[in-house]
Amino acid sequence: MLFSEITAKFMEMEKTTKRLELTDILASLFKDAGDDLKNITYLIQGKLAPDYENTEFGISDKIIIKALSNISSLSEEEINKILYKNGDLGTTAYEIGSKIRQRPLFKENLTVKYVYDNLTLLARSSGHESTKTKINIYKNLLMDSSPDDIKYITRIITGKLRLGVANSTILDSLVLAFSDKDYSDAIETAYNFHPDIGYIALLLKNNDIERIKNTGPDPLIPFKVMLAERLKSIKDINEKMNHNSAYEYKYDGLRTELHKKGDVIKIFSRGLEETTMNFPDIQKNFKDSYKFDSIIIDGESVPYNPDTGELYPFQMVSQRRGRKYGITEISKEIPIVMFIFDILYLNGKSLVNLPYPERRKILEDNFNDNDYFKLATRIVSDDENIINKFFEESIENGCEGIVAKNTSDESVYRAGARGWLWIKFKRDYEKELADSMDLVVIGAFNGHGRRTGAYGALLMASYNDENDTFESFTKLGTGFTDELLFSLPEMFSDKIVMKKPARVNTKIVPDVWIYPEIVMEINGAEITVSPAHKCAYNLIEKDSGLALRFPRLVKIRNDKKPEDATTTKEIVELFKMQKKTK
Ligand code: ATP
């Protein structure tokens, strides 16, 4: 396929923010993609491989500017001026590409494969000479491309493609392109166990529905973890579970998937990021403690004192994230214990379709607690007094609360889903507004007075996972330290976009649109019905949505993607819970 065909589709996509139209355009691209299908599914996400492979281009805006200056007769300063005017490096590259005189004709037959291969070379070049190599590859691509092509290639390299399509839209487009029946559920499950759109695309193209249905967990490939719903009392939980549940401590640490295949042990975070580098101690301790051929377990890693068994706050673990140096020292200082609460795979066999009690039994048969790995503490009971005592005990032991686990025959491991098979219960839930929320920044308002030069408030949205949109829910202006407040313009600078981004649903128009990428944890006083906001619009009341009153920032959640934010559905549940408490 020619790259210009992708470019044409990208240009069409930029003209719409409607999800159905975006889905149609992508489906027609996929139908024409031929052998390039897999690579195209990555390119439209601005990537070269599935997320969990962490392929990064490693090229800064500054290097692109240098390359553009190098190839044109313009100085870096002049290019910066054009960039300032456009606010976008892609458009700047387009302008430079159009301006270059005496350039040899660009390749009429620039193929997707050629671009993909060169981008791979660019991403892979590392070490001493890598900047030079990257500049050269980019310059060659610029010479070979039409101005429109280089606009999108530049956006891909700089991580600013921003076509407004999330994985769910891409999956829908693949279904539309290749499947006449609705296998959406099977496809979603396959994707949640094997979150590689390219892999799913090929199965669909080959009409290999059987393999899609049989796609389960695979050692060394991160899966999307199962999540919990929340309810405000043990009584409600018991009722919801039909009195079929066990209760486990809810540990306050870092969600950890541990995979082993042969001699290789890998650790992944909830966001599918490989964190083996950050936890060499867990890796080594597992290797020293157990002898499985292959296994996948799910649990929570918590810093602790092995002498007293005392659990430490989560922040002590988060210090390790992103650290490349001093890990050996830090792991000596703060030992980690992994509390294992599920098993998905053992010695060549998937266990995800077994009910939870059987999976727990397999864990008990195969694991002996030691200093580094312990099974989650639990009870099996439906006696409210016993459960309440267990809850108090969990808090005394440094946990956040408890998680109820359904014990019926239906209690499979449901990857990526927040279903009623797991229900969490925390102390805060007894208060008026239960639990904090993770919301996405979609816009900002200029600050006045003391906040001149910073933002006065941020427009925050919930994630509607049914139609893949971000719905405005509150205006956040409290809870920021001055330092954080004045650092926001810089933090947002490369996320500002000129018009309302695709997938954003709001009546309120902010001074600045922010592309939905940043997630913040927010507390609030109350959820109310509001005609101003689009969250759950028309669901509770006609011509009204839901809004959060008196929101307050807790912290920025760099570990969450916008699609991991609190969903509109959850907010509706919280609203109902809050009404019940009143
Ligand atoms: P929260 O901020 O309340 O942890 P969350 O959105 O991060 O919520 P939830 O799915 O709502 O995640 O809560 C479940 C989380 O609790 C899991 O992701 C996991 O990290 C943690 N957890 C701790 N102990 C357990 C346990 N025994 N079983 C399941 N999850 C547990």
Side-chain angles (χ1 to χ4, degrees), residues 1-8 10 36 38-40 42-44 46-49 57 103 106-124 134 136-158 161:
M1 186 184 221
L2 294 180
F3 193 82
S4 56
E5 292 175 64
I6 297 196
T7 296
F10 285 176
D36 294 312
K38 189 169 180 193
N39 292 342
I40 289 178
Y42 301 134
L43 287 175
I44 54 177
K47 308 214 166 96
L48 298 170
F57 292 102
R103 73 183 266 207
F106 59 83
K107 276 194 181 164
E108 289 289 354
N109 55 355
L110 183 80
T111 61
V112 173
K113 184 171 180 332
Y114 180 84
V115 174
Y116 181 87
D117 289 348
N118 273 283
L119 290 181
T120 307
L121 279 180
L122 188 148
R124 285 206 187 131
K134 284 178 200 280
N136 277 336
I137 297 173
Y138 178 74
K139 271 168 42 183
N140 287 338
L141 276 170
L142 193 138
M143 294 308 287
D144 291 339
S145 312
S146 75
D148 282 322
D149 294 339
I150 198 64
K151 174 166 85 184
Y152 293 108
I153 292 173
T154 307
R155 286 184 184 165
I156 290 174
I157 299 175
T158 52
L161 192 56

Side-chain angles (χ1 to χ4, degrees), residues 228 248-251 255 270 300 405 418 424 426:
E248 295 180 352
Y249 280 4
K250 185 177 193 302
Y251 298 96
R255 185 74 175 258
R270 170 182 172 157
E300 190 90 352
K405 305 256 163 122
R418 204 182 276 281
K424 55 182 174 168
K426 293 199 229 172

Side-chain angles (χ1 to χ4, degrees), residues 516-534:
E517 275 174 358
I518 296 177
V519 179
M520 295 183 176
E521 188 177 335
I522 313 289
N523 262 331
E526 192 190 4
I527 301 171
T528 54
V529 171
S530 155
H533 285 283
K534 281 287 200 171

Side-chain angles (χ1 to χ4, degrees), residues 193-356:
F193 280 121
H194 197 128
D196 174 353
I197 297 246
Y199 165 86
I200 303 282
L202 288 190
L203 291 184
L204 268 171
K205 187 177 169 219
N206 298 332
N207 206 12
D208 204 342
I209 301 299
E210 272 319 296
R211 266 184 74 193
I212 289 182
K213 286 184 180 160
N214 289 326
T215 297
D218 220 338
L220 309 185
I221 295 185
F223 56 93
K224 292 186 148 202
V225 295
M226 182 161 172
L227 297 168
E229 294 282 353
R230 44 166 102 69
L231 279 176
K232 75 163 187 32
S233 73
I234 304 288
K235 185 167 170 284
D236 289 354
I237 297 179
N238 256 337
E239 274 169 21
K240 187 84 190 176
M241 292 284 196
N242 271 331
H243 296 262
N244 283 326
S245 61
Y247 289 82
E248 295 180 352
Y249 280 4
K250 185 177 193 302
Y251 298 96
D252 189 10
L254 213 61
R255 185 74 175 258
T256 305
E257 339 183 329
L258 188 148
H259 296 236
K260 179 174 189 283
K261 188 177 184 180
D263 286 336
V264 185
I265 295 175
K266 284 191 181 183
I267 297 163
F268 296 95
S269 71
R270 170 182 172 157
L272 310 182
E273 200 187 333
E274 189 181 339
T275 51
T276 322
M277 287 279 290
N278 304 77
F279 298 104
D281 43 343
I282 301 187
Q283 188 189 35
K284 178 174 182 313
N285 294 334
F286 194 82
K287 197 169 178 184
D288 294 345
S289 307
Y290 308 106
K291 303 273 166 273
F292 303 106
D293 288 340
S294 55
I295 191 166
I296 306 177
I297 49 175
D298 187 7
E300 190 90 352
S301 297
V302 190
Y304 91 125
N305 180 336
D307 298 328
T308 60
E310 189 187 353
L311 301 179
Y312 292 136
F314 164 80
Q315 285 81 344
M316 294 177 86
V317 184
S318 60
Q319 285 174 16
R320 292 184 178 204
R321 305 196 65 195
R323 273 179 84 120
K324 293 222 167 60
Y325 307 100
I327 292 284
T328 319
E329 291 71 29
I330 206 167
S331 50
K332 276 190 199 130
E333 265 168 46
I334 318 167
I336 296 273
V337 52
M338 178 173 171
F339 290 100
I340 305 166
F341 49 72
D342 225 312
I343 179 162
L344 291 85
Y345 191 95
L346 182 63
N347 297 337
K349 265 177 72 184
S350 165
L351 309 177
V352 292
N353 289 326
L354 297 178
Y356 157 79

Side-chain angles (χ1 to χ4, degrees), residues 398-441:
C399 294
E400 276 190 303
I402 51 181
V403 187
K405 305 256 163 122
N406 191 299
T407 49
S408 72
D409 288 350
E410 271 80 59
S411 56
V412 295
Y413 189 98
R414 223 176 257 158
R418 204 182 276 281
W420 292 102
L421 293 174
W422 291 7
I423 306 177
K424 55 182 174 168
F425 178 71
K426 293 199 229 172
R427 173 80 79 204
D428 299 350
Y429 294 1
E430 289 157 323
K431 288 198 223 136
E432 267 222 335
L433 180 60
D435 221 2
S436 59
M437 282 161 253
D438 299 315
L439 303 177
V440 185
V441 185

